[in-house]
Amino acid sequence: MWYKSAIGYQIYPKSFKSIDSSVGTIKGITSKLDYLKDLGIDLIWICPIFDSPMDDNGYDIRDYYKINPDYGTMEDVKEMITKAHNLGLKIIFDLVLNHTSIEHEWFKKSCAKDPYYDDFYIWSKEKYNWGSFFGGSAFSYNEERKEYFLHIFSDKMPDLNWKSINLKKEVKKIIKYYLALGIDGFRLDAISHLCKKKLENTTPINKDLVYDYSLFSNLKEVHNILKEFKREIFSHYNIMTIGEIGGNPTIKQALDYCNDELDMVYTFGFTNCAKVDLHNMSSNKMDVKAMRNLISAYQNELNEKGWMGLYLTNHDIERAMSLYGDMDYFIESGSMLAVLMYMLKGTPFIYNGEEIGMTNYPFKKVSDFDDVRIRTTYKLNTTLSEEEFVNAVKDTSRDNARTIMQWDDSEYAGFSSSKPWFHINPNYKTINVKKEEQEERSLLNEYKKIIKLRKSLTQITQSYYEEIMLDERIISYKRGNLLIICNCTNNVITLNNLPNVKRVLYNNYNNFHDYKVIEPYQAYVMEVE
Ligand code: GLC
């Protein structure tokens, strides 16, 4: 169960670090392993690096056995794994099993009704009224086969049919191939969607498109598949698996995946606790009550069973600093958010750039975006002008998280020596790794302290979680004899009900004056009586 005490770090390879190219590369990642080690990371999750036409930046896989040539070669991957292991770092790959690219050989053969591949995808004579995650119908017509195929994401990402015995056989081979290469586990993409309800029009029947994700989320058959994988493969290796559990599961539904299936789940709620008025930048943006209730609901269940990934941002969400942080209290709010998440039960996953407080990008026009979801929704949009559309999507766009990693203040932010494939946030001159490494007081250095502290405290992996109500603007909880206090607002708050403090282990403000007076975004980890 090494993964329980591990600190995870998520890499979006296309934007992380390039060597001799305009896109990130595997060698680029290898060159930054020392940086990750120094940060205190134990476990790296790399978003898909397989051969892909990149409709969805690698989540549309063309060949599972080949590395995207823009990123490098299988030799580069082996070198990266070896170097990581030598440093004591583990690496997990992002495995997409819900769908492939339309350019995958399986799909081509299935279109041609090759008997072995005939049932690899979900084919239908009829088109039904199901809406897809990326907007528009979930059914598209294939001229060659003269049938519709189901795709719950883009029309270039056909869903695999998990009732197919041959498909399962092929997937098991892929999993074993990568385990033989020495990787330490998988993040299983969109895994809660593998099974679908019967194909038929859904209610309201007379509506052209119904966006009802329960049609293809968290159905009971998916558990049988994962139990089989666990029994036959995963349990024979010293690895970890984390499944992305979407489709709005209940907490119980999400944690059910930890029952002889996956080691931990990755669900969505913590990124959905913003106040609706995101644009009122003058006040705090977290709905503290919603966040506290959600944390407690999950953690109370986890006291009994299961394990989860802890995160506030990833490649599908805006930047945490823009979502919940406060630029007027950059270091304080950034480090408070880290304490809030990483002292909980679960395995933290820091998203690349979060440790330096990278922020959302100032998108201005539709052509500024790369994301297939934005492109699809814009095509379908009939009511909004371009300006209105951009204003509606710019804060929440997935592209905010996909801008170039800010390593230093040189021309291309230390990412590459030629113009990168995507935007660099104009604030890279002030928010970058090099600068924050050099400054004694920086968000990066607070992250290092928080990570080191977490690793030194067995209570964080072992002790029960207990919510403590100190003030409605504060999220506070106990882990054994530890009390964690996070002021999620820019208010100064005076506490009248603080337990007796024995020792302060972490305080994100330099100067101590009075424990009872909590400064804006102040975070404490303390031993109490
Ligand atoms: C997951 C990924 C997301 C991708 C989708 C389809 O949600 O995190 O980036 O677009 O699956 O693979």
Side-chain angles (χ1 to χ4, degrees), residues 396-424:
T396 51
S397 163
R398 308 196 296 177
D399 282 332
N400 285 303
R402 300 174 179 187
T403 57
I404 298 304
M405 178 75 185
Q406 296 164 203
W407 294 106
D408 61 35
D409 64 1
S410 65
E411 189 178 9
Y412 301 121
F415 167 78
S416 55
S417 46
S418 56
K419 194 172 184 318
W421 75 278
F422 203 39
H423 311 291
I424 303 176

Side-chain angles (χ1 to χ4, degrees), residues 443-509:
L443 183 55
L444 181 61
N445 284 326
E446 292 306 305
Y447 257 76
K448 288 184 191 173
K449 282 190 222 163
I450 295 164
I451 290 171
K452 200 163 165 210
L453 177 67
R454 176 178 161 121
K455 287 186 172 176
S456 71
L457 299 168
T458 50
Q459 296 97 315
I460 302 300
T461 43
Q462 289 165 15
S463 297
Y464 266 48
Y465 164 93
E466 187 193 341
E467 179 184 311
I468 302 290
M469 188 62 181
L470 296 177
D471 184 280
E472 62 183 19
R473 294 156 294 180
I474 284 178
I475 297 181
S476 175
Y477 52 88
K478 279 186 80 175
R479 307 294 315 280
N481 63 339
L482 300 176
L483 177 68
I484 289 90
I485 299 178
C486 293
N487 181 357
C488 302
T489 71
N490 57 2
N491 304 150
V492 178
I493 301 168
T494 305
L495 298 178
N496 303 313
N497 49 356
L498 190 67
N500 276 341
V501 179
K502 272 175 62 185
R503 196 154 71 104
V504 171
L505 304 177
Y506 179 75
N507 171 9
N508 67 348
Y509 273 72

Side-chain angles (χ1 to χ4, degrees), residues 196-213:
K196 279 80 183 174
K197 284 197 179 150
K198 185 167 172 239
L199 300 191
E200 58 189 2
N201 276 326
T202 189
T203 47
I205 302 277
N206 57 0
K207 214 171 157 205
D208 283 352
L209 265 189
V210 181
Y211 290 97
D212 174 3
Y213 303 139

Side-chain angles (χ1 to χ4, degrees), residues 56 59 99 134 153 157 187 189-190 244 315-316 398 402:
D56 190 19
Y59 282 93
H99 45 268
F134 287 175
F153 294 97
M157 298 153 81
R187 180 251 186 194
D189 182 68
E244 185 197 29
H315 66 295
D316 290 331
R398 308 196 296 177
R402 300 174 179 187

